[in-house]
């Protein structure tokens, strides 16, 4: 039992935050399922952009594409094909866990982030295009995204609600999930194979708060600098621990018990953005400090390799939650509002995803032209 298997045995599902065609075709992904206890996969436009830009794995599909295909249609076709293949590789996990795990995520475009109607329409199209029960449609965790997620879940579509930074936003998403389950139960529809995760972003919180702390330290008198410096690198874990406490509270009690009796599964917290951005911090910090039952950690390849090499497993996600509260209170006391930080990070996250989609479609147009094919407008 290697370190990743021990992490899985502690109740945390290990998902890979990466996808490309060579990984799928070489047998490497299937091997990782066995050797690394891998049980799922997430994708995003940046990952696809890199996969499409590097090498020639997609050139045959691009050459065979219809002449009137737009760059966006090309991307959707290629992404659906890769995600479908990944779903098939993870199907054994999905079946073995009775639909509790084995999911692959595909994201709606950021242009619909504030339009629930557009999100629902696009999600249904992607769901039909991939046509696999272990697909999860990724929806941004805006207020509009939460409304769209509720409708999609009520329709029986698995949803990964992404870009969650604030505990308040997490609660909104959990409530949407519970209402969707209740809608299905009231209509006599099954809920036992419906799944959702709430993707709570971690390391970006430290990156932003550390930047603000550094500015305060530069302007502070010598006597205050040590206290401010001691708050570096602590906010992200604290914020995630409060999100997990909310998860524990929401998925207990009479309301949840009634749904669980129908076979409903919890909406698991998924820790995203778990690669360490600051080289001064341990490279597996955002894995080791958030281990616990009914959680998912989606890791980029480098973080997964680091944990396999030297990661340590202990139940940590609900350890010293009172200390987590104190960290955030101390930050508020020195003038750093966690709500202000999480609002900013959501705005930046949506902007970053929009930019990634724009870069992706531009790259596809360039590659299509390099192959001697025109790109249709649209």
């Amino acid at each position: 039992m290697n370190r990743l298997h021990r992490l899985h045995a502690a109740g945390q599902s290990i998902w890979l935050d990466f996808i490309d065609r060579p990984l799928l075709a070489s047998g490497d992904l299937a091997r990782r399922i066995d050797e690394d206890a891998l049980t799922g996969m997430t994708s995003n436009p940046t990952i696809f952009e890199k996969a499409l830009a590097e090498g020639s794995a997609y050139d045959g599909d691009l050459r065979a594409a219809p002449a009137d295909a737009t760059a966006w249609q090309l991307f959707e076709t290629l992404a659906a094909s890769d995600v479908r293949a990944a779903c098939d590789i993870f199907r054994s996990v999905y079946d073995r866990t009775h639909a509790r795990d084995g999911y692959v995520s595909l994201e709606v475009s950021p242009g619909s982030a504030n339009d629930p109607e557009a999100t629902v329409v696009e999600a249904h199209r992607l769901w039909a295009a991939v046509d696999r029960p272990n697909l999860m449609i990724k929806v941004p965790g805006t207020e509009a995204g939460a409304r769209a997620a509720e409708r999609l879940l009520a329709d029986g579509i698995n949803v990964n609600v992404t870009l969650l930074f604030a505990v308040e936003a997490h609660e909104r998403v959990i409530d949407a999930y519970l209402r969707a389950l209740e809608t299905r139960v009231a209509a006599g529809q099954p809920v036992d194979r419906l799944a959702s995760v709430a993707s709570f972003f971690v390391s970006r919180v430290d990156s932003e708060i550390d930047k603000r702390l550094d500015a305060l330290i530069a302007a502070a008198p010598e006597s205050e600098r040590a206290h401010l410096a001691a708050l570096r690198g602590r906010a992200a874990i604290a914020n995630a621990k409060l999100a997990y406490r909310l998860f524990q509270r929401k998925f207990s009690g009479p309301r949840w018990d009634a749904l669980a009796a129908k076979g409903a599964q919890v909406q698991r917290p998924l820790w995203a953005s778990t690669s360490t951005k600051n080289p001064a911090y341990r490279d597996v910090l955002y894995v080791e400090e958030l281990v616990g039952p009914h959680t998912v950690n989606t890791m980029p390849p480098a973080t997964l390799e680091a944990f396999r090499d030297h990661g340590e497993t202990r139940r940590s996600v609900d350890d010293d939650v009172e200390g987590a509260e104190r960290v955030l209170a101390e930050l508020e006391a020195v003038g750093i509002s966690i709500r202000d930080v999480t609002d900013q990070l959501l705005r930046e996250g949506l902007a970053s995803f929009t930019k990634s989609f724009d870069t992706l479609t531009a790259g596809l147009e360039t590659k299509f032209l390099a192959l001697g094919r025109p790109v249709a407008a649209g």
Side-chain angles (χ1 to χ4, degrees), residues 344-357:
Q344 176 183 325
L345 290 173
L346 176 58
R347 291 192 300 270
E348 291 176 353
L350 290 169
S352 176
F353 276 132
T354 299
K355 183 179 179 181
S356 293
F357 268 96

Side-chain angles (χ1 to χ4, degrees), residues 8 12-15 33 37-40 90-103 133-134 136 192-195 263 265 268:
H8 177 76
Q12 183 159 94
S13 290
I14 303 164
W15 290 9
I33 291 173
L38 203 65
T39 58
F90 278 107
R91 183 60 187 262
S92 62
V93 177
Y94 175 81
D95 291 339
R96 184 179 73 245
T97 61
H98 305 288
R100 262 46 180 180
D101 222 329
Y103 291 94
N134 54 329
M136 271 192 175
D192 59 313
R193 300 186 77 81
L194 184 66
Q265 57 179 302
R268 292 181 293 171

